[in-house]
Amino acid sequence: VGLLLVCILPEGQFPGMDVANSRTLIGHPLAGLTLWVRPTPHPPTASLEEIRAHHRIVADAWESRPAVLPARFGQWFATLEELTAALAPGLEGHAQALERVAGAGEFSVRILDPEAIAKGTPATPASGTEYLRAAAARERERAEAGRRGGGIAGELREALGPLVLGERVDGVPEPPGLAVATHLVRRSEERAYGTAVDRFAAEHRALRFVRTGPWPPWSFTG
Amino acid sequence: MIDDVTSDAQEALVLSDLVSRVLDRGVSVVGNVVISVAGVDLIRLGLRLDLWAVETERRWSERSRDRPLPSPGRALPPTGGG
């Protein structure tokens, strides 16, 4: 029977009835960590249902245990030996990451500029030259949007101060998106974080800010 | 902060965030994992969802251009337990 890696927890944290699909989960101790795996004879056949089920286990663990490192979906191993061998080089890093994310979750803030829509380039060019010009213009707009988004995300990060334990900023491929800032936030400070983000948004009324979360710390496992 | 986006847009944004997290983030010990369902690459599906969500946002923004901006509001709660 093969094993599908779901998440990594501190030592002694085994799956219980407080976690979705607990009857199909096994906790395997490894060098001060506990690996949560699902025995399954084949690599997973992905579907939205499977993705949701994977996330549900991670989310339940995150809600009920001191710390959890979510594992990317689809990491299947034929044997326990293969799994432990794959994890061996990163064991110390995983232990440090668990300490970093303990008691914290993450939020994503999409930074949108509604006015960016008006600058769109023609979708159906009349010639090859026009196509290339449009493509170059789109690339310039994308780069400019990325710079703006990064700048605004930096301002947001500064405004949030110590409420943010960690940050990741990603670009958005198309307008009106400028960037997505993902913040690691203590669970005890979620309300203060939300208030601070809303205050920042109110001070930047030409832009839109859309927040999702809190999520388990998917973006801060490294 | 947007507090009156359509429920479809909310669902799309949350689903997009969920899919992108589960497929593209978290501990990775085996490098990139190729995942497909009936020939549909779910990573592409996630991107399409993201673009669809942004497109919904765009339509919402166009509709709201002539009215006052909404006041700061609550966050969008993720579904699926997150």
Side-chain angles (χ1 to χ4, degrees):
Chain A
V1 174
L3 299 168
L4 183 64
L5 180 63
V6 179
C7 51
I8 301 172
L9 282 82
E11 189 169 32
Q13 294 292 327
F14 293 93
M17 294 305 289
D18 55 333
V19 174
N21 302 316
S22 59
R23 276 177 292 184
T24 63
L25 281 172
I26 292 175
H28 178 72
L30 178 67
L33 305 173
T34 307
L35 314 178
W36 286 21
V37 297
R38 293 174 67 182
T40 171
H42 307 291
T45 301
S47 65
L48 283 178
E49 288 71 26
E50 282 289 324
I51 288 169
R52 282 185 185 280
H54 186 93
H55 179 262
R56 168 66 72 181
I57 294 168
V58 170
D60 284 355
W62 174 65
E63 292 284 1
S64 61
R65 308 306 174 94
V68 59
L69 289 185
R72 189 174 300 185
F73 181 84
Q75 298 180 87
W76 180 86
F77 302 86
T79 64
L80 181 59
E81 288 70 29
E82 284 186 20
L83 169 60
T84 54
L87 280 163
L91 287 175
E92 191 177 338
H94 298 326
Q96 290 169 352
L98 272 171
E99 288 180 19
R100 205 163 43 243
V101 302
E106 67 180 47
F107 288 87
S108 280
V109 181
R110 278 179 171 74
I111 303 170
L112 309 169
D113 179 6
E115 294 303 316
I117 296 298
K119 300 173 189 167
T121 48
T124 51
S127 68
T129 303
E130 192 176 318
Y131 171 83
L132 291 173
R133 282 185 181 145
R138 275 196 301 274
E139 193 51 45
R140 283 195 300 274
E141 288 170 5
R142 206 170 285 144
E144 173 58 21
R147 278 192 292 275
R148 276 191 67 206
I152 296 162
E155 291 178 33
L156 174 61
R157 171 71 181 82
E158 195 172 335
L160 296 172
L163 291 171
V164 172
L165 303 176
E167 180 193 43
R168 166 179 170 150
V169 178
D170 295 289
V172 177
E174 300 291 337
L178 296 180
V180 180
T182 302
H183 297 136
L184 184 68
V185 177
R186 287 183 196 87
R187 303 228 61 190
S188 59
E189 293 182 327
E190 287 174 357
R191 186 181 293 270
Y193 169 83
T195 301
V197 172
D198 289 347
R199 189 184 307 122
F200 183 86
E203 293 166 356
H204 296 76
R205 297 181 72 84
L207 301 172
R208 306 281 182 188
F209 299 83
V210 181
R211 187 172 75 242
T212 65
W215 301 90
W218 285 95
S219 308
F220 299 94
T221 57
Chain B
M1 184 65 62
I2 296 171
D3 62 355
D4 59 351
V5 290
T6 66
S7 60
D8 283 352
Q10 285 187 18
E11 284 183 22
L13 284 167
V14 170
L15 182 59
S16 173
D17 277 7
L18 188 152
V19 169
S20 66
R21 277 174 168 78
V22 175
L23 294 183
D24 193 37
R25 299 191 186 178
V27 172
S28 177
V29 296
V30 296
N32 290 328
V33 181
V34 177
I35 301 164
S36 64
V37 177
V40 177
D41 185 331
L42 275 182
I43 293 173
R44 289 179 185 277
L45 173 64
L47 289 174
R48 282 206 299 273
L49 282 168
D50 217 7
L51 291 175
W52 183 81
V54 169
E55 174 67 12
T56 305
E57 271 299 325
R58 184 185 69 78
R59 290 198 298 271
W60 175 83
S61 296
E62 284 178 343
R63 284 201 306 274
S64 65
R65 194 164 287 160
D66 297 329
R67 60 187 171 88
L69 296 172
S71 60
R74 61 181 168 75
L76 306 177
T79 57

